[in-house]
Amino acid sequence: MTDIRPTDADADINKAALEYHAKPVPGKIGITITKPTDSQADLALAYTPGVAAPVRAIAADPGLAYKYTAKGNLVAVVTDGTAVLGLGNTGALAGKPVMEGKAVLFKHFAGIDVFDIEVDAPRPQEFIETVMRIAPTFGGINLEDIAAPHCFEIEQALIEQLDIPVFHDDQHGTAIIIAAGLLNALEIQGKQLETAKIVVLGAGAAGIAAVRLLCSMGAHKDHIMVIDRKGVIHTGRKDLNIYKWGVAADTDKRTLAEAMDGADVFIGVSGPDLISSEMLASMADKPVVFALSNPVPEIRPEVACRTRDDLVMATGRSDYPNQVNNVLGFPFIFRGTLDVRASRINEAMQIAAVHALKNLTHEPVPQSVLDAYGLDSLESGPDYILPKPVDPRLRHVISPAVAKAAIKTGVARGAWPADYPPIEEV
């Protein structure tokens, strides 16, 4: 079990967080009744005898569950608690506050209802079987905080066996936001994804998913080196699982420092203070540095900016420019997916989300966003390569783009939503 006791420096925020989660009622989510229940007639429709009518209708046509129940707007956020935030294997129950937090974000940003489900399942097959059995309740499954390599096996099995979308946000959500920000950062630096030399520090769910997505979008596998605790993942190693083998490089470089020499891009999804100023100095001209470890980045922006004045930098923190935050993606990706009743979130839908995010950064920023951040102006540039999480346009841009990709690739089972812009304008 990971030691998660607070330090003295964390005492104030920890005290405030415990108070927040405890009062006025425990937890962060609840259930809201959506139909009138004031009279005997209302109750007769809500339960017996009236409820028999939708039961019979759904038994005859399971698709009517989307019409007569909350299934179509209900997502399960499911974890086994093996990789909770930066705290490690806390166990399923201790992961519940995070899953409730995910539910808050789904509801606040995209109007999606969530049941959080914490599964005590030591083996992947037990977890898979549990999710499969509860899946009829939901319109989609968001897997969360499941350690690699089991997360890959679990997600793939559920995608293959279920007819509703299954999405491991720690993999694909992170990869999508990284890709969108990286495309903009490379454009600013006058570089191309196809030729960029990329170093990825961290070979867990996010790191491997980011490499896969970037390669699908045009990055050259021979230009990417992934580093784990033992050094560069290369084809000569004998200790690689199938997932790490998929990102192994044919190279004679063995250390992080060697990989960083001449690199155009660094993407860190690992741990604090792992990149030295010397490593940063050895990178190519006009580098892109995504130091995404939270709360302490792989290299702190203050150190990075003292070392290089020609870089574009992003972190996972909200108190620096260019926050790479999954909330820019998953609520709106699921919104678009649910709105057209897609059976899965495929790669085309993920890439559509990447380009929607990338392009939004080039549009004029609403006054409400400027006010929220105390800014007079904000435009595409080294300190603005991704939209802000409070940008009200995210839902109206990303969700239709994802829905259109679902229809185009044949995984949508519903009509184009009436409250969306015309599909030809998306």
Short mmCIF file of all heavy atoms in Angstrom, two decimals, residues 396 400-401 403-405 407-408 416-418 420-426:
data_model
loop_
_atom_site.label_atom_id
_atom_site.label_comp_id
_atom_site.label_asym_id
_atom_site.label_seq_id
_atom_site.Cartn_x
_atom_site.Cartn_y
_atom_site.Cartn_z
N HIS A 396 -19.68 22.53 -27.46
CA HIS A 396 -20.33 22.80 -28.74
C HIS A 396 -19.40 22.56 -29.93
O HIS A 396 -19.87 22.54 -31.07
CB HIS A 396 -20.87 24.23 -28.75
CG HIS A 396 -21.76 24.52 -27.59
ND1 HIS A 396 -22.98 23.90 -27.43
CD2 HIS A 396 -21.60 25.35 -26.52
CE1 HIS A 396 -23.54 24.33 -26.31
NE2 HIS A 396 -22.74 25.20 -25.74
N PRO A 400 -19.92 17.70 -31.27
CA PRO A 400 -20.35 17.47 -32.66
C PRO A 400 -19.25 16.84 -33.52
O PRO A 400 -19.54 16.02 -34.40
CB PRO A 400 -20.72 18.88 -33.15
CG PRO A 400 -21.06 19.63 -31.91
CD PRO A 400 -20.13 19.10 -30.87
N ALA A 401 -18.00 17.21 -33.30
CA ALA A 401 -16.92 16.62 -34.09
C ALA A 401 -16.81 15.13 -33.84
O ALA A 401 -16.63 14.34 -34.77
CB ALA A 401 -15.59 17.31 -33.74
N ALA A 403 -19.28 13.20 -32.67
CA ALA A 403 -20.51 12.58 -33.19
C ALA A 403 -20.43 12.40 -34.71
O ALA A 403 -20.83 11.36 -35.25
CB ALA A 403 -21.71 13.44 -32.83
N LYS A 404 -19.91 13.41 -35.42
CA LYS A 404 -19.78 13.30 -36.87
C LYS A 404 -18.84 12.16 -37.25
O LYS A 404 -19.12 11.38 -38.19
CB LYS A 404 -19.27 14.62 -37.44
CG LYS A 404 -19.15 14.62 -38.95
CD LYS A 404 -18.70 15.98 -39.47
CE LYS A 404 -18.59 15.99 -40.99
NZ LYS A 404 -18.20 17.33 -41.51
N ALA A 405 -17.73 12.01 -36.51
CA ALA A 405 -16.80 10.92 -36.80
C ALA A 405 -17.44 9.57 -36.53
O ALA A 405 -17.18 8.59 -37.25
CB ALA A 405 -15.53 11.09 -35.97
N ILE A 407 -20.65 8.84 -36.88
CA ILE A 407 -21.55 8.59 -38.01
C ILE A 407 -20.74 8.20 -39.25
O ILE A 407 -21.07 7.23 -39.95
CB ILE A 407 -22.41 9.84 -38.28
CG1 ILE A 407 -23.43 10.03 -37.14
CG2 ILE A 407 -23.13 9.72 -39.62
CD1 ILE A 407 -24.21 11.32 -37.22
N LYS A 408 -19.68 8.92 -39.50
CA LYS A 408 -18.87 8.68 -40.70
C LYS A 408 -18.24 7.28 -40.69
O LYS A 408 -18.07 6.66 -41.75
CB LYS A 408 -17.78 9.75 -40.81
CG LYS A 408 -17.00 9.71 -42.11
CD LYS A 408 -16.03 10.88 -42.21
CE LYS A 408 -15.26 10.86 -43.52
NZ LYS A 408 -14.32 12.01 -43.63
N TRP A 416 -28.62 12.35 -36.03
CA TRP A 416 -27.90 13.59 -35.72
C TRP A 416 -28.76 14.44 -34.81
O TRP A 416 -29.93 14.72 -35.11
CB TRP A 416 -27.59 14.34 -37.01
CG TRP A 416 -26.73 15.56 -36.83
CD1 TRP A 416 -27.13 16.85 -36.93
CD2 TRP A 416 -25.34 15.59 -36.53
NE1 TRP A 416 -26.07 17.71 -36.72
CE2 TRP A 416 -24.95 16.96 -36.46
CE3 TRP A 416 -24.36 14.61 -36.29
CZ2 TRP A 416 -23.65 17.36 -36.18
CZ3 TRP A 416 -23.06 15.00 -36.01
CH2 TRP A 416 -22.72 16.36 -35.96
N PRO A 417 -28.26 14.86 -33.65
CA PRO A 417 -29.10 15.57 -32.68
C PRO A 417 -29.63 16.91 -33.21
O PRO A 417 -28.91 17.64 -33.89
CB PRO A 417 -28.13 15.80 -31.50
CG PRO A 417 -27.09 14.74 -31.65
CD PRO A 417 -26.92 14.57 -33.13
N ALA A 418 -30.85 17.18 -32.88
CA ALA A 418 -31.49 18.39 -33.38
C ALA A 418 -30.85 19.66 -32.83
O ALA A 418 -30.91 20.71 -33.47
CB ALA A 418 -32.98 18.36 -33.00
N TYR A 420 -27.67 20.14 -32.35
CA TYR A 420 -26.34 20.31 -32.90
C TYR A 420 -26.40 21.22 -34.12
O TYR A 420 -27.44 21.33 -34.77
CB TYR A 420 -25.77 18.96 -33.32
CG TYR A 420 -25.12 18.15 -32.21
CD1 TYR A 420 -25.50 18.30 -30.87
CD2 TYR A 420 -24.12 17.22 -32.48
CE1 TYR A 420 -24.92 17.55 -29.88
CE2 TYR A 420 -23.53 16.45 -31.51
CZ TYR A 420 -23.93 16.63 -30.19
OH TYR A 420 -23.35 15.90 -29.20
N PRO A 421 -25.28 21.85 -34.48
CA PRO A 421 -25.25 22.58 -35.74
C PRO A 421 -25.41 21.60 -36.90
O PRO A 421 -25.18 20.40 -36.74
CB PRO A 421 -23.87 23.22 -35.76
CG PRO A 421 -23.05 22.41 -34.82
CD PRO A 421 -23.99 21.91 -33.78
N PRO A 422 -25.83 22.05 -38.07
CA PRO A 422 -25.94 21.14 -39.21
C PRO A 422 -24.64 20.37 -39.43
O PRO A 422 -23.56 20.96 -39.30
CB PRO A 422 -26.23 22.09 -40.39
CG PRO A 422 -26.88 23.27 -39.75
CD PRO A 422 -26.21 23.43 -38.41
N ILE A 423 -24.77 19.08 -39.71
CA ILE A 423 -23.58 18.22 -39.77
C ILE A 423 -22.57 18.70 -40.80
O ILE A 423 -21.35 18.57 -40.60
CB ILE A 423 -24.01 16.76 -40.03
CG1 ILE A 423 -22.81 15.82 -39.82
CG2 ILE A 423 -24.59 16.59 -41.43
CD1 ILE A 423 -23.19 14.35 -39.78
N GLU A 424 -23.05 19.31 -41.88
CA GLU A 424 -22.11 19.77 -42.91
C GLU A 424 -21.28 20.97 -42.42
O GLU A 424 -20.26 21.30 -43.04
CB GLU A 424 -22.86 20.13 -44.19
CG GLU A 424 -23.87 21.26 -44.06
CD GLU A 424 -25.26 20.74 -43.65
OE1 GLU A 424 -25.37 19.54 -43.28
OE2 GLU A 424 -26.21 21.54 -43.74
N GLU A 425 -21.70 21.62 -41.33
CA GLU A 425 -20.95 22.74 -40.81
C GLU A 425 -19.92 22.32 -39.76
O GLU A 425 -19.13 23.15 -39.29
CB GLU A 425 -21.92 23.77 -40.20
CG GLU A 425 -22.85 24.40 -41.21
CD GLU A 425 -23.80 25.41 -40.59
OE1 GLU A 425 -23.62 25.71 -39.38
OE2 GLU A 425 -24.69 25.89 -41.28
N VAL A 426 -19.95 21.06 -39.37
CA VAL A 426 -19.03 20.57 -38.34
C VAL A 426 -17.71 20.15 -38.98
O VAL A 426 -17.70 19.41 -39.95
CB VAL A 426 -19.65 19.39 -37.57
CG1 VAL A 426 -18.65 18.81 -36.59
CG2 VAL A 426 -20.90 19.85 -36.86
#
